[in-house]
Amino acid sequence: MDCTSLLLAIANDRDESAFKKLFYHFYDDLVHFSASITNDFNSSEDLVADLMLKVWTEPKDILSIKNIKTYLFKAIKNRSLNYLSRSKTHEYYLSHPHLNDVPSTPEDLLISKEFIKQFNQLVDKLPPKTKMAFILVKDNLCSYAEAAEIMEISTHTVDRHIQIALQRLKAELEKNNSLINSEL
Amino acid sequence: MDKDNFYELIHKYISQNITDEELNTLHQYMELNQKNRDLFDAFTTSARNSSSDRYLEERASAILSRGIHEEKVSIAKRRRFVFDKLYARIAVAALALILLGTLFYLYNYSQTVDEFNQVVKTGKAERLHFVMADGTKVWLNSESAIHFNKGFGKTNRAILLSGEAYFDVESNKELPMTIDSRETSVKVIGTSFNIRAYDDEEVIETSLVEGVIELFVKDNTASTGKHILAPGEKLKVFRSKEIKEDSKREEMITTDNSQDLVEVGQIVRSHFIHPELKTVPSEIAWKENKLAFDGEPLELAISKLEKWYNIKIIVANSSLANLHVSGTFQDESIEEVLQFLQFSGADFQFVTKNNTIYIQ
């Protein structure tokens, strides 16, 4: 997708269809990423809507942006973290991480549902930054380089987080589950 | 084959830094057994939700219509800088005074829809969720509309409602929100509540989930004046002069051993949230795309069904009017809903003809 020409069309021509293209392209990814921080799908939808509204109403700001993708992810990261800190349900969700039942995709239906569910619960228990890096990379939202820019860390550190995530998940899976112990 | 190697290959796969040879080895691991495939899938399948095109279109359009409103406000702000000479300021001040006076007059003596020149509305079988300029979240049920004016969120928070809407009101003590329907006016600071005020139904229901609201009945009847609602309470305001015997009995049954049943003229107050029941009350289930009936008269249920499914329903048998129905439905067809009601004891037959359902 040619983001630069879309941004120009949005800022200069006030082209609604260009805005919609941008919206369709990033909406699900941004909501998914935000929900991994807030643990609240509905609020994340609102946070993303607010962000996209800003893109539409203050387009002059976006013209100076080099990479719209990392800009949007960085912005939604900050908004999600702010939301989390002022959210009164914060404590509640932290103590009930299993409430974060992200709606499943059709692909999920093909593989062992129960296992995926268990796996996603383990992902929720990862340390926040490790979880953030893991979600960004694993869920195909970003490359290492993009994740590094969004999280404002080096690509090396992103890789460290992925390694930590893999190690922890492996340990947890082996602890909880005879599923993988046997035949490997 | 060892486990660590399998994980290392997954790591390389995720980091998009895997050689063809390693990819082959990874495939061999997966052919070994289903468990390895599950594991690989868990680590590589995106858990991200995929919205339908229609949903994305709705969300984007809601933002664009919100955007138009906010843009106008910011353009107005920018233009103000033109008037930096003193005489211009005086002229503006004088004009503003005259305008304010006129507005005050208009507000007091002819508050009409014209003033509420922004509108969001839904058609039959359509529902919408959006956020107002002040941060208030609104869910709009089928065949409903909210009107507001350009200064919404800045100079006022006045809404005109027809139909049904659920409001999650952003708290703002300086600028209370008022929501007017034809017969009632609700004043709030920051709360969550539902109003059902369809012109073709004889009851206006206001159900409060959180916070406090003040409800005024405009009509000059015995119940005119201010009524305060507490969380979990529902207030029914009847449009017709007499409360139908039917509906009264329903209230008595549902709030059986409750002390809170108060009747003031045309008003019935009851509790709609029952903490012991873990289900979502029927009053607010619709905003989660569930159609719910909670021991309500067939007449109201049919009005809900018509709006939900965009279909005409004609009841040919007047003895069915006393029927009460219950049930919660999600993604079922209208036929499935009616069949369920039949199964659950409602004694009627129905036929469908030309997008119209005849019940007898």
Side-chain angles (χ1 to χ4, degrees), chain B residues 7-60:
Chain B
Y7 273 89
E8 184 48 36
L9 289 176
I10 289 179
H11 177 209
K12 287 190 167 168
Y13 182 90
I14 292 174
S15 67
Q16 297 167 7
N17 193 16
I18 190 165
T19 65
D20 288 349
E21 200 181 324
E22 286 165 332
L23 202 58
N24 265 331
T25 321
L26 192 59
H27 278 296
Q28 282 164 22
Y29 275 115
M30 283 193 283
E31 276 159 22
L32 272 181
N33 56 42
Q34 179 66 40
K35 284 153 194 175
N36 284 358
R37 279 192 291 277
D38 282 352
L39 203 58
F40 177 78
D41 284 341
F43 272 105
T44 56
T45 308
S46 179
R48 156 191 173 281
N49 177 48
S50 294
S51 304
S52 70
D53 291 349
R54 206 193 139 192
Y55 183 72
L56 286 173
E57 165 71 28
E58 265 174 26
R59 300 285 297 188

Side-chain angles (χ1 to χ4, degrees), chain A residues 20 24 27-29 45-46 50 53 105 111-112 119 137-139 144 159 163 166 170 174 179 183, chain B residues 3-4 7 11 14-15 33 35 38 41-43 45-49 51 55 57 59 66 137:
Chain A
K20 285 183 177 175
Y24 295 168
Y27 184 77
D28 283 331
D29 285 352
E45 287 204 290
D46 293 338
D50 279 344
L53 177 68
T105 62
I111 49 183
S112 164
F119 183 85
V137 174
K138 178 216 117 175
D139 287 342
Y144 267 30
D159 192 53
Q163 274 178 15
L166 282 160
K170 182 185 165 210
E174 282 172 4
L179 206 64
E183 287 108 78
Chain B
K3 227 177 287 173
D4 288 339
Y7 273 89
H11 177 209
I14 292 174
S15 67
N33 56 42
K35 284 153 194 175
D38 282 352
D41 284 341
F43 272 105
T45 308
S46 179
R48 156 191 173 281
N49 177 48
S51 304
Y55 183 72
E57 165 71 28
R59 300 285 297 188
R66 231 176 105 194
K137 293 170 198 158

Side-chain angles (χ1 to χ4, degrees), chain B residues 157-176:
Chain B
R157 291 208 290 170
I159 287 178
L160 212 57
L161 167 74
S162 63
E164 179 163 29
Y166 182 91
F167 297 91
D168 192 350
V169 179
E170 184 76 10
S171 178
N172 184 345
K173 282 188 180 130
E174 274 94 65
L175 220 55

Side-chain angles (χ1 to χ4, degrees), chain B residues 329-348:
Chain B
F329 307 94
Q330 190 168 22
D331 303 327
E332 272 95 344
S333 71
I334 175 93
E335 286 81 13
E336 285 170 322
V337 172
L338 290 172
Q339 274 158 14
F340 176 86
L341 294 180
Q342 285 177 326
F343 279 129
S344 64
D347 186 19
F348 62 73

Side-chain angles (χ1 to χ4, degrees), chain A residues 4 6-15 19 22 51-66 68 71, chain B residues 71 74-75 78:
Chain A
T4 319
L6 275 190
L7 292 184
L8 279 172
I10 292 169
N12 295 337
D13 311 335
R14 309 302 290 141
D15 181 345
F19 173 79
L22 190 80
L51 175 63
M52 296 308 287
L53 177 68
K54 189 171 169 258
V55 169
W56 179 248
T57 51
E58 292 163 40
K60 293 281 174 291
D61 297 352
I62 55 169
L63 278 180
S64 56
I65 297 161
K66 285 200 194 97
I68 184 71
Y71 168 83
Chain B
E71 218 176 338
S74 63
I75 288 170
R78 257 174 268 145

